[in-house]
């Protein structure tokens, strides 16, 4: 496998996410809303991975935060504020459900490896997603 710089990976992933969001617009508000929820879930799933980007220590999920804000802007622009607001609520509910399901999975005894549950990070991430999305919707709504 070849090695790319973190910055190049970040831009490649951001372009890919933007392209997916634009493609989802053609499929309708349900597809764009589902893509928004997928990005929130990925952001919460991979929040523990840290890297160096532009000389700063960041989580690798920052690209999902940017992508979800772009997707939210597309939802609002093409399908209205009400659809964007509903997508935020659905996304937060699905992220919370994902966290609870992850917790249940962590209760099973492991075979060889130990899996540590870190609920504070997951729930803090969900709250941060909710607040940043609501603020974005408030600031950039028509």
């Amino acid at each position: 496998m070849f090695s790319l710089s973190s910055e190049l990976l970040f831009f490649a992933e951001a372009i890919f996410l933007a392209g997916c969001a634009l493609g989802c617009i053609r499929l309708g508000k349900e597809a764009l809303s589902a893509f928004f929820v997928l990005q929130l879930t990925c952001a919460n799933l991979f929040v523990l991975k840290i890297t160096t980007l532009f000389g700063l220590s960041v989580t690798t999920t920052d690209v999902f935060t940017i992508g979800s804000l772009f997707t939210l802007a597309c939802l609002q622009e093409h399908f209205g504020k009400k659809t964007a607001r509903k997508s935020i609520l659905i996304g937060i509910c699905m992220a919370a459900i994902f966290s609870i399901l992850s917790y249940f999975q962590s209760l099973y005894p492991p075979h060889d490896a130990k899996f540590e549950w870190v609920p504070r990070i997951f729930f803090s991430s969900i709250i941060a997603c909710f607040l940043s999305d609501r603020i974005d919707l408030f600031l950039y709504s028509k």
Side-chain angles (χ1 to χ4, degrees):
M1 185 170 224
F2 59 94
S3 177
L4 295 174
S5 72
S6 294
E7 291 80 9
L8 187 58
L9 281 171
F10 176 82
F11 285 120
E13 190 173 11
I15 290 167
F16 177 75
L17 290 173
C20 288
L22 295 174
C24 285
I25 291 171
R26 296 181 59 92
L27 296 173
K29 66 182 176 182
E30 296 83 6
L32 196 57
S33 183
F35 185 59
F36 174 75
V37 171
L38 176 65
Q39 289 179 89
L40 289 182
T41 304
C42 286
N44 287 305
L45 180 62
F46 302 119
V47 73
L48 295 177
K49 187 165 185 177
I50 307 292
T51 191
T52 301
L53 192 61
F54 305 109
L56 302 170
S57 291
V58 298
T59 67
T60 58
T61 62
D62 288 348
V63 72
F64 291 120
T65 302
I66 294 166
S68 69
L69 292 174
F70 177 72
T71 303
L72 188 62
C74 291
L75 273 166
Q76 184 176 330
E77 183 71 27
H78 291 274
F79 303 106
K81 188 175 182 177
K82 184 178 178 182
T83 300
R85 204 177 270 158
K86 188 173 183 179
S87 294
I88 292 171
L89 180 61
I90 291 168
I92 298 307
C93 288
M94 293 300 112
I97 290 169
F98 175 80
S99 296
I100 293 166
L101 292 173
S102 296
Y103 176 71
F104 282 127
Q105 288 295 306
S106 73
L107 295 176
Y108 288 100
H111 178 66
D112 289 328
K114 186 176 180 184
F115 176 73
E116 294 290 330
W117 170 245
V118 282
R120 284 181 277 160
I121 293 173
F122 281 114
F123 287 114
S124 298
S125 182
I126 290 169
I127 291 167
C129 285
F130 176 75
L131 292 175
S132 67
D133 291 339
R134 291 295 295 204
I135 290 168
D136 179 70
L137 191 62
F138 174 75
L139 292 175
Y140 297 108
S141 66
K142 292 181 180 179

